[in-house]
Amino acid sequence: MTALLELKQRIKNFYGQYEMYFQPLLKFILGLVYFLWINQSMGYMAELDNIFIVLILALICSILPSAVMVFAGCVLMVGHCYALGIDVAAFMLVLILFMMILFLRFSSGKNIVMVLTPLSFAANLPVLLPIGSGLLSSAISAFPAGCGVIIYYFISFLRANAQTFQGSDMEVMERLTMMADGMVANREMWITVIAFIGVILLVNLIRTRSFDYAWRIAIVVGGVTYVLIMLGGGFYFGVQIEVVPLIIYTVVTVLIGIVLEFFVFGGDYTRTERLEYEDDEYYYYVKAVPKAAVTTSERNIKKINGSSSREERRAEESVVSFSEPIFQGEERPRKAKKRKAEDEMPVMRNNDIDDIDFEKKLEESLRDL
């Protein structure tokens, strides 16, 4: 367990150090996978089914907000629908505008969930999206999740009836009626929408409670709720649901959710503290759950050998000292010479002064005058 906590801490430190590089990279990868999925699922217009266009769109979305990715995906879908007919493109455009006006405008900060929803279906792990959204996002993410389910099933409907729309001589009203019936009468789609919305709301409700192990309980309850809604809805509306793959994928999703809880939350409930505070107006009852973390030791190893010590000595010898001459042949300052000359001059002592006859010297001086 300690090794896993150290790995988690190192990953968090590494991501925090290079976060400004990881975020554009992750957005680029997400946009690339999303646009490739659209071209693979639709691909009716050859001009848009081009890897260079996909790369350019993904690169643009990597440096712009996530709303640009949602907008670019919608434009790409409408463009492919236009290859099937202008009425199909108009139906897709009206459907997207309808969802934006009624639902997506309330969840502008969470609309990236609409991009992740069809990708979860493509990975055969659809329940991973509602559980992950309930854990990492808010309850408002149920709006883009439901819209993403509708978009996925409509694209699946177009893929199943592409030959009918391309080679038939049906009138416009018949084609519009066929698409409307394909949306409204698709009971599996509405069961999935209800399951997604119910799981997101339930997981988010349990995750935000204050009891112990709320995240893990929310993950398990979300997985069980998704299976019950899908099986119950399929039995009630007479929709055939594959039970074994549904249970297997749900169990895999629950395991992934537990791993996600370890890396994102990771609370240590064994050291939970309940505190009480009060001020002039309120009483505060606080439950503090410390994070499960360990301190990672960083080691700095300094290699010492003979060559490095010689280089250090050379560096010390090359340091200039202002108290010594810079050049080798330079003499000492002149003050030192002067001092030496003064030291060599004879010094007159007191005994020599006493031996001088000043009277005799004075008489000799007067005689000379």
Side-chain angles (χ1 to χ4, degrees):
M1 188 65 180
T2 304
L4 292 176
L5 292 175
E6 290 181 356
L7 177 62
K8 171 187 173 181
Q9 192 65 31
R10 289 175 182 173
I11 292 175
K12 291 178 65 176
N13 294 337
F14 183 75
Y15 179 81
Q17 186 178 1
Y18 301 100
E19 183 179 3
M20 62 180 299
Y21 304 106
F22 276 112
Q23 285 188 354
L25 179 61
L26 294 177
K27 291 172 67 176
F28 174 80
I29 296 174
L30 178 60
L32 181 64
V33 174
Y34 182 53
F35 299 141
L36 287 175
W37 174 83
I38 293 176
N39 286 338
Q40 183 181 2
S41 301
M42 304 180 79
Y44 309 123
M45 183 176 288
E47 291 80 3
L48 296 178
D49 192 6
N50 192 331
I51 187 61
F52 295 104
I53 294 179
V54 171
L55 290 175
I56 292 173
L57 289 177
L59 184 61
I60 293 173
C61 295
S62 65
I63 59 178
L64 294 178
S66 59
V68 178
M69 188 181 302
V70 179
F71 177 78
C74 294
V75 172
L76 204 60
M77 294 175 192
V78 174
H80 284 296
C81 290
Y82 182 77
L84 296 177
I86 190 172
D87 52 347
V88 180
F91 190 90
M92 172 65 85
L93 182 60
V94 171
L95 180 64
I96 293 173
L97 292 177
F98 181 79
M99 291 188 297
M100 286 185 176
I101 293 172
L102 292 183
F103 305 109
L104 298 181
R105 67 189 184 96
F106 298 106
S107 58
S108 58
K110 311 295 181 182
N111 287 341
I112 193 66
V113 177
M114 185 176 174
V115 175
L116 298 172
T117 302
L119 297 181
S120 65
F121 281 96
N124 292 324
L125 295 173
V127 67
L128 180 61
L129 184 120
I131 291 179
S133 299
L135 293 176
L136 305 179
S137 185
S138 61
I140 203 68
S141 61
F143 287 139
C147 295
V149 172
I150 295 174
I151 291 293
Y152 171 78
Y153 276 94
F154 184 70
I155 291 176
S156 300
F157 170 79
L158 292 179
R159 184 170 63 249
N161 300 275
Q163 298 296 331
T164 304
F165 287 109
Q166 286 178 342
S168 65
D169 296 332
M170 291 189 303
E171 295 182 358
V172 175
M173 290 303 300
E174 294 179 356
R175 293 158 64 93
L176 293 177
T177 303
M178 182 179 177
M179 288 185 288
D181 292 340
M183 292 289 297
V184 177
N186 193 343
R187 295 179 178 179
E188 183 181 354
M189 181 189 73
W190 295 116
I191 295 173
T192 308
V193 170
I194 294 173
F196 268 54
I197 295 175
V199 171
I200 289 176
L201 296 178
L202 185 60
V203 170
N204 185 260
L205 177 65
I206 297 176
R207 191 263 300 175
T208 54
R209 300 305 94 189
S210 61
F211 53 81
D212 293 349
Y213 304 100
W215 281 59
R216 298 179 186 178
I217 295 174
I219 294 169
V220 176
V221 171
V224 173
T225 302
Y226 181 82
V227 172
L228 293 178
I229 292 177
M230 294 298 296
L231 294 179
F235 178 78
Y236 182 79
F237 291 104
V239 179
Q240 184 178 0
I241 303 294
E242 297 181 358
V243 180
V244 177
L246 176 64
I247 295 177
I248 293 176
Y249 293 144
T250 304
V251 171
V252 173
T253 301
V254 169
L255 296 178
I256 295 175
I258 293 175
V259 175
L260 185 66
E261 182 266 341
F262 172 77
F263 281 97
V264 176
F265 179 70
D268 187 3
Y269 289 100
T270 59
R271 297 186 292 124
T272 302
E273 298 181 4
R274 289 174 172 82
L275 309 174
E276 296 182 10
Y277 301 96
E278 67 172 287
D279 56 12
D280 296 336
E281 298 180 357
Y282 296 98
Y283 293 97
Y284 303 94
Y285 299 94
V286 180
K287 179 181 179 180
V289 180
K291 294 181 178 180
V294 293
T295 57
T296 57
S297 59
E298 297 182 357
R299 301 176 181 177
N300 296 324
I301 300 175
K302 184 177 180 181
K303 186 177 180 181
I304 301 175
N305 51 24
S307 59
S308 62
S309 61
R310 286 195 297 269
E311 291 177 358
E312 292 178 358
R313 286 197 300 269
R314 290 176 183 175
E316 292 177 358
E317 292 175 357
S318 62
V319 177
V320 178
S321 177
F322 292 98
S323 62
E324 297 179 357
I326 299 177
F327 303 101
Q328 295 294 332
E330 186 178 1
E331 298 179 354
R332 293 288 181 179
R334 295 183 179 180
K335 290 183 179 180
K337 277 187 173 183
K338 186 175 180 182
R339 187 177 302 148
K340 185 177 180 181
E342 290 177 355
D343 294 339
E344 293 177 353
M345 292 179 64
V347 180
M348 189 174 291
R349 300 177 182 179
N350 293 332
N351 295 331
D352 296 337
I353 296 174
D354 294 337
D355 295 338
I356 298 175
D357 189 359
F358 290 99
E359 294 181 359
K360 186 177 180 181
K361 294 289 183 181
L362 181 60
E363 292 176 355
E364 291 178 356
S365 299
L366 293 175
R367 189 180 302 114
D368 292 336
L369 291 175

